[in-house]
Amino acid sequence: KQEVTQIPAALSVPEGENLVLNCSFTDSAIYNLQWFRQDPGKGLTSLLLIQSSQREQTSGRLNASLDKSSGRSTLYIAASQPGDSATYLCAAYQMYSGGGADGLTFGKGTHLIIQP
Amino acid sequence: DTGVSQDPRHKITKRGQNVTFRCDPISEHNRLYWYRQTLGQGPEFLTYFQNEAQLEKSRLLSDRFSAERPKGSFSTLEIQRTEQGDSAMYLCASSFGGSSYEQYFGPGTRLTVT
């Protein structure tokens, strides 16, 4: 059974800093890995998706990397802004032969606060 | 707005009542997923559909829960005889099978059972 762990659980940094959020997963047989942002009481916004054959993806100030062999992914946020304050979730997606799947397995998230 | 929509956004019900939630996926997406999220936790997978077929169900989906996706379009999730432990955010997501399977989430339905 896939398990996803995110470290740290919470992070507070001054505006302008670069930061790294960590995600680890126990079963390396993933199809893809997604990073999401969730604002309080809201749904999830997809930030980046990395296919199992890829090593990294970039979108603006965000860069996500994937190392399947070690079961790790990182989300790098450059030049953080107060508007980046949210909970960041990573989730692993696995598919089985025949196309079956169990949906995404999520970590508990990293609660990020960017101080103005 | 062409994103995933959910209705209602909030639902307060008394223990023992039945509730039904609706999810409208992105129109060209053939896969639809339901998740449940409690405070401080990541979402947990409940079930998913490919077109109108329900292909997987989590052990979290007790007999009181039922989901449908008639004609492969919108989906409903019904909870019968609600319990206080059912209080959570119910999230729906959709994806297009055959590509990246990137999942797009709706705003969720917040259920409070009193």
Side-chain angles (χ1 to χ4, degrees), chain B residues 58-78:
Chain B
S58 164
R59 60 178 175 76
L60 295 175
L61 210 67
S62 76
D63 292 344
R64 297 184 296 106
F65 288 69
S66 63
E68 294 182 342
R69 192 184 182 196
K71 302 179 182 178
S73 56
F74 70 92
S75 176
T76 58
L77 178 68
E78 181 184 16

Side-chain angles (χ1 to χ4, degrees), chain B residues 10-111:
Chain B
H10 299 90
K11 178 70 176 180
I12 300 173
T13 191
K14 293 185 177 179
R15 188 176 52 193
Q17 298 294 305
N18 300 342
V19 294
T20 299
F21 310 141
R22 176 179 171 128
C23 171
D24 286 89
I26 293 171
S27 58
E28 64 267 25
H29 285 182
N30 58 351
R31 291 194 172 204
L32 186 148
Y33 305 80
W34 285 99
Y35 295 85
R36 181 173 68 187
Q37 185 179 27
T38 53
L39 198 62
Q41 303 295 314
E44 294 176 295
F45 168 73
L46 293 177
T47 188
Y48 98 95
F49 293 83
Q50 180 159 309
N51 300 312
E52 67 276 8
Q54 187 173 15
L55 296 186
E56 296 288 341
K57 291 193 289 186
S58 164
R59 60 178 175 76
L60 295 175
L61 210 67
S62 76
D63 292 344
R64 297 184 296 106
F65 288 69
S66 63
E68 294 182 342
R69 192 184 182 196
K71 302 179 182 178
S73 56
F74 70 92
S75 176
T76 58
L77 178 68
E78 181 184 16
I79 309 174
Q80 296 182 326
R81 305 181 303 281
T82 53
E83 302 173 356
Q84 286 189 322
D86 297 331
S87 295
M89 175 79 89
Y90 290 84
L91 294 161
C92 175
S94 69
S95 71
F96 182 66
S99 64
S100 67
Y101 295 94
E102 182 170 5
Q103 294 189 26
Y104 296 87
F105 280 74
T109 294
R110 168 74 66 189
L111 173 65

